[in-house]
Amino acid sequence: MTQNVAEPRPGPTAGKPVTIAIDAMGGDKGPVPVIAGMARSAAKNPDLRFIVFGDKSRLESLISKRKPLSGRVDVRHAEGVVTMDAKPSQVMRNGKNTSMWAAVDAVRDREAAVCVSCGNTGALMAVSMLRLRKTEGVNRPAIACLWPSRNPNGFNVMLDVGADIRADAEDLLQYALMGTSYARVGLGLERPRIGLLNVGTEEHKGRAELKQAYDLIDAAADTARFDFVGYVEGGDIPSSRVDVVVTDGFTGNIALKTGEGTAKLISEALREAFRHSVLSRIAAVLALPSMRRLSKRIDPRRVNGGVFLGLNGTVVKSHGSADATGVSAAIKLAYQLGAAGFHERVKARVASMSHPMQDQGLIGQNNGFQ
Amino acid sequence: MTQNVAEPRPGPTAGKPVTIAIDAMGGDKGPVPVIAGMARSAAKNPDLRFIVFGDKSRLESLISKRKPLSGRVDVRHAEGVVTMDAKPSQVMRNGKNTSMWAAVDAVRDREAAVCVSCGNTGALMAVSMLRLRKTEGVNRPAIACLWPSRNPNGFNVMLDVGADIRADAEDLLQYALMGTSYARVGLGLERPRIGLLNVGTEEHKGRAELKQAYDLIDAAADTARFDFVGYVEGGDIPSSRVDVVVTDGFTGNIALKTGEGTAKLISEALREAFRHSVLSRIAAVLALPSMRRLSKRIDPRRVNGGVFLGLNGTVVKSHGSADATGVSAAIKLAYQLGAAGFHERVKARVASMSHPMQDQGLIGQNNGFQ
């Protein structure tokens, strides 16, 4: 909501109510932080409406204590809960009565613009694929995340970070297209810079499918209105060289978790360093505002929310252990995507580019798609 | 040198001179930090000897200014320099006159126990493969690095971090065996805990070759005297769950550079946070000792040195932009590996386990290998 999308928006814009479907039960901490996060978002944004799925009496009791939610929440009972260790295949077979399933169905039935869940990623992707189906022209859906970076807006986009463990050259091209749409809507970048993750920046390195993807993405850049910066390395993910980092879900997931793990190790070491002596404890008190500024910049809760791309509807996956701040960040992102008509944009883009090689002449004349 | 290897050592031990071959020319900063790093190491460790390769008159002038190096360095002239952007194939064809080539040959000819170079990684691996050849039984050599962790000794081992971009299940088993040897010598761990990097810790996730590797490594654990903790995720790389993280070179390289990039982003943000106001500058002064403790713990220069494993000789790759501290850390590691007869240990281990499935009965009785 703080970033503006520079290009004219064809879909619904801010000011109109946007309804978000919430799976309130699937996270590690149950519904308490979910309702707290909803209240926080609702207090900031008068356009938000919610449909919340889960244990009705428990949810109603929690919601009744939160003034900003008054009159803006439709509570729907769902008996079942998808646990964090549930296998996706089991949930696909037996998950019809769960809050996760029902929340995804609210997007399928166009009751809600976007679904938000703190639940099990594998199960959420499986249910989303089953109920929403893949967008025409997409082979593999992807999960996109925001990553703290040196760019002026503070973030880069990376995808896929875990929807699938393989991606061929065509899939990587589709990730570049979907990532372009996401960077426009999520980061307000008119012409995002796309990079392809590899082990070296020289063109002779890397796996065969990456070389093919390099050529496909390079050829699509002008038509799809992004800049292709070529190969980028792990160290470039938080850099200002690139806005969107494209990779397969296996590599992206390892990179995401390695980055999170490194940040966590450093914060712990930082806390220990300040606890070391009387002098360092005094320093810690004086340094508190500086540390708050720092942690605000790199706090993973602020970038909470992986977005599922390539489905007929938008799903935001919040961290399983998200607190109210994290849930509120995921809802903010969901609102932003819903208000911008994000799903329709991605769909139009992928449809226009689904045969980039054959259709290039035709597509070259069509600059109106997102 | 600060860690002791608990098991009895068959090879030469500390107290005897260890000769290190140094490629003085290949790094980003030329020979100045290399000679400075050598001097730093020599001052601390009386057992170090060097053979240094490069521009003889320049090296002799630099060395003459460093007292600790007096009488301990054999300078050998090499006309050529491998530049950071040289292609490995070109160096293999035309690199005979380079300092890199000559330094590797000193290990090949058993004049030096270990080679250290700050040069181009791809070229160094290509020359090392060509001149030292692969150890019998090894399909793909690997590069192992140390990673700051929550373990008592402060580090984990990860391999492969960039030697090769593919690895099948047998290769990953060999990485587990070579990583076990490295953790024994480098970290002094009698029975290292090995983890296999994957996108999820549940056994049903991941790529097919990882499932095969899981079974192979699991079956080899008892005989090769390591503990197999199963799959680990990116967030576990700096954890205390595991001592050695096994992965293919593509994934390992991305993870390594992502971790380094994240650490760098956070340090920059930390510095900015402290520069923000007068109060934060005062806090910064008071916090200085705490920050020094922190940076000592996570300083990448302290863990400088990727070790090439699986060749007939040990090569340590230092960062291209290493300063004297970084070069000295790489030399310390090289000394440690040379003094412990590391190369012979890895060779014996891989030879004993090269047909783990067929030979298990036989190998089971042989507990003497490293």
Side-chain angles (χ1 to χ4, degrees):
Chain A
M1 286 170 291
T2 52
Q3 291 109 355
N4 287 309
V5 178
E7 61 191 14
R9 286 174 177 173
T13 50
K16 287 190 186 173
V18 172
T19 302
I20 311 291
I22 306 274
D23 163 20
M25 308 303 288
D28 292 337
K29 299 173 180 173
V32 173
V34 177
I35 303 300
M38 284 167 54
R40 195 174 293 206
S41 291
K44 287 186 198 159
N45 184 347
D47 299 328
L48 273 171
R49 302 290 180 275
F50 298 101
I51 311 174
V52 187
F53 298 86
D55 177 337
K56 191 163 187 178
S57 66
R58 184 136 184 242
L59 294 178
E60 281 176 342
S61 146
L62 288 168
I63 290 166
S64 67
K65 289 170 197 142
R66 303 279 181 174
K67 266 198 178 165
L69 294 178
S70 167
R72 293 162 70 180
V73 185
D74 179 356
V75 182
R76 309 248 181 108
H77 187 68
E79 196 63 39
V81 176
V82 175
T83 56
M84 290 310 267
D85 57 356
K87 290 197 177 183
S89 55
Q90 288 173 340
V91 178
M92 285 171 81
R93 275 196 305 275
N94 309 316
K96 273 182 198 163
N97 69 342
T98 62
S99 54
M100 180 187 281
W101 188 293
V104 171
D105 266 7
V107 172
R108 174 191 162 106
D109 301 339
R110 303 282 173 256
E111 286 196 281
V114 180
C115 164
V116 173
S117 171
C118 303
N120 175 331
T121 308
L124 183 60
M125 180 49 92
V127 170
S128 300
M129 295 252 295
L130 183 71
R131 302 305 291 165
L132 301 175
R133 299 281 165 196
K134 290 186 281 186
T135 303
E136 212 187 313
V138 170
N139 297 323
R140 291 177 200 268
I143 304 177
C145 74
L146 292 173
W147 193 293
S149 83
R150 292 182 190 87
N151 277 325
N153 60 40
F155 298 105
N156 289 342
V157 170
M158 186 160 83
L159 75 166
D160 176 22
V161 296
D164 211 320
I165 53 168
R166 299 242 181 237
D168 65 18
E170 282 279 350
D171 297 327
L172 293 168
L173 169 62
Q174 289 179 348
Y175 296 173
L177 299 173
M178 298 194 294
T180 297
S181 294
Y182 185 39
R184 290 225 174 98
V185 173
L187 300 176
L189 300 170
E190 178 59 15
R191 198 176 172 94
R193 293 161 302 163
I194 310 289
L196 184 59
L197 193 61
N198 199 350
V199 292
T201 50
E202 302 105 75
E203 289 190 27
H204 63 280
K205 281 190 185 173
R207 296 173 166 172
E209 70 266 30
L210 287 178
K211 289 174 196 168
Q212 291 166 24
Y214 185 103
D215 294 336
L216 287 178
I217 296 173
D218 198 29
D222 269 357
T223 313
R225 289 185 293 133
F226 59 78
D227 289 326
F228 183 47
V229 300
Y231 293 134
V232 295
E233 296 192 71
D236 295 317
I237 300 174
S239 79
S240 56
R241 274 192 66 203
V242 66
D243 301 306
V244 178
V245 177
V246 169
T247 188
D248 67 277
F250 183 90
T251 310
N253 187 273
I254 299 277
L256 176 65
K257 294 196 173 165
T258 302
E260 287 176 349
T262 306
K264 210 172 147 197
L265 182 78
I266 296 176
S267 337
E268 285 173 18
L270 193 59
R271 268 196 297 275
E272 269 170 44
F274 274 124
R275 243 187 257 120
H276 188 261
S277 67
V278 175
L279 186 68
S280 68
R281 279 162 202 255
I282 295 170
V285 174
L286 285 173
L288 207 60
S290 305
M291 290 301 111
R292 285 217 181 106
R293 266 192 302 280
L294 171 69
S295 80
K296 203 177 167 190
R297 178 146 173 223
I298 60 166
D299 186 350
R301 295 177 307 171
R302 281 184 68 228
V303 289
N304 184 32
V307 178
F308 291 5
L309 301 172
L311 301 171
N312 291 313
T314 303
V315 175
V316 173
K317 162 69 176 80
S318 165
H319 248 291
S321 58
D323 60 8
T325 305
V327 171
S328 177
I331 290 171
K332 178 179 170 180
L333 178 63
Y335 169 82
Q336 215 169 339
L337 297 171
F342 176 64
H343 161 59
E344 287 71 24
R345 290 176 167 217
V346 175
K347 195 173 164 183
R349 167 170 295 274
V350 173
S352 307
M353 296 291 294
S354 61
H355 302 289
M357 292 316 180
Q358 300 95 303
D359 298 351
Q360 203 140 10
L362 185 69
I363 295 171
Q365 297 156 25
N366 171 13
N367 288 316
F369 64 85
Q370 301 306 316
Chain B
M1 287 169 290
T2 51
Q3 292 111 357
N4 288 310
V5 178
E7 60 191 17
R9 287 174 177 173
T13 50
K16 288 188 186 174
V18 172
T19 302
I20 310 291
I22 307 273
D23 164 21
M25 308 304 287
D28 292 337
K29 298 174 181 171
V32 174
V34 176
I35 303 300
M38 283 167 55
R40 196 174 292 205
S41 292
K44 285 186 199 159
N45 184 347
D47 300 328
L48 272 171
R49 301 290 180 276
F50 298 100
I51 311 175
V52 187
F53 298 86
D55 179 337
K56 191 163 187 180
S57 65
R58 184 137 184 242
L59 293 178
E60 280 177 343
S61 146
L62 288 168
I63 289 167
S64 67
K65 289 171 197 141
R66 302 282 181 172
K67 267 199 180 163
L69 294 178
S70 167
R72 292 163 71 180
V73 186
D74 179 356
V75 182
R76 308 248 180 108
H77 187 67
E79 197 62 40
V81 175
V82 175
T83 57
M84 291 310 267
D85 57 356
K87 289 197 179 183
S89 55
Q90 288 173 339
V91 179
M92 285 171 82
R93 274 196 304 275
N94 309 316
K96 273 180 200 166
N97 69 342
T98 61
S99 54
M100 181 187 281
W101 189 293
V104 171
D105 266 6
V107 172
R108 174 191 161 104
D109 301 339
R110 302 283 173 256
E111 286 196 280
V114 179
C115 164
V116 173
S117 172
C118 302
N120 176 329
T121 309
L124 184 60
M125 180 51 94
V127 170
S128 300
M129 294 252 295
L130 183 69
R131 301 305 292 164
L132 301 176
R133 299 282 165 195
K134 291 185 282 186
T135 303
E136 212 187 313
V138 171
N139 296 324
R140 290 177 200 266
I143 303 178
C145 73
L146 293 173
W147 193 293
S149 82
R150 291 183 190 87
N151 276 325
N153 60 41
F155 299 104
N156 289 341
V157 171
M158 186 159 83
L159 76 166
D160 177 22
V161 296
D164 212 318
I165 54 169
R166 298 247 179 235
D168 65 17
E170 282 278 350
D171 297 327
L172 293 168
L173 169 62
Q174 290 179 349
Y175 296 173
L177 299 174
M178 298 194 295
T180 297
S181 293
Y182 185 39
R184 289 225 174 98
V185 173
L187 301 175
L189 300 170
E190 178 60 15
R191 199 178 171 93
R193 293 160 304 162
I194 310 288
L196 184 60
L197 193 61
N198 199 351
V199 293
T201 49
E202 303 105 75
E203 290 190 26
H204 63 280
K205 281 190 186 173
R207 296 172 166 173
E209 71 268 29
L210 287 178
K211 289 173 197 167
Q212 290 165 24
Y214 185 104
D215 293 337
L216 286 179
I217 296 173
D218 199 28
D222 269 357
T223 313
R225 290 184 295 133
F226 60 77
D227 289 327
F228 183 48
V229 301
Y231 292 134
V232 295
E233 295 192 72
D236 295 316
I237 299 175
S239 79
S240 55
R241 273 192 67 203
V242 66
D243 301 305
V244 178
V245 177
V246 169
T247 187
D248 67 278
F250 184 91
T251 310
N253 187 273
I254 299 277
L256 177 66
K257 294 195 172 165
T258 302
E260 286 176 348
T262 305
K264 209 171 147 197
L265 182 78
I266 297 175
S267 335
E268 284 173 19
L270 193 59
R271 268 194 298 275
E272 270 171 43
F274 274 125
R275 242 187 259 119
H276 188 262
S277 66
V278 176
L279 185 68
S280 67
R281 280 163 202 254
I282 295 170
V285 174
L286 284 172
L288 207 61
S290 306
M291 289 302 112
R292 285 217 181 107
R293 265 192 301 281
L294 171 69
S295 80
K296 204 178 166 190
R297 176 144 175 224
I298 60 166
D299 186 350
R301 296 178 306 170
R302 280 183 68 226
V303 289
N304 183 32
V307 178
F308 292 5
L309 301 173
L311 301 170
N312 291 313
T314 303
V315 175
V316 173
K317 164 69 176 79
S318 163
H319 248 291
S321 59
D323 60 7
T325 305
V327 171
S328 177
I331 290 171
K332 178 179 169 179
L333 178 61
Y335 170 80
Q336 215 168 338
L337 297 171
F342 176 62
H343 160 58
E344 288 71 24
R345 290 176 168 217
V346 174
K347 195 174 163 183
R349 168 171 295 275
V350 172
S352 307
M353 296 292 292
S354 61
H355 303 288
M357 292 316 178
Q358 299 96 303
D359 298 351
Q360 204 141 9
L362 186 68
I363 294 172
Q365 295 156 26
N366 172 13
N367 287 316
F369 66 84
Q370 301 304 317

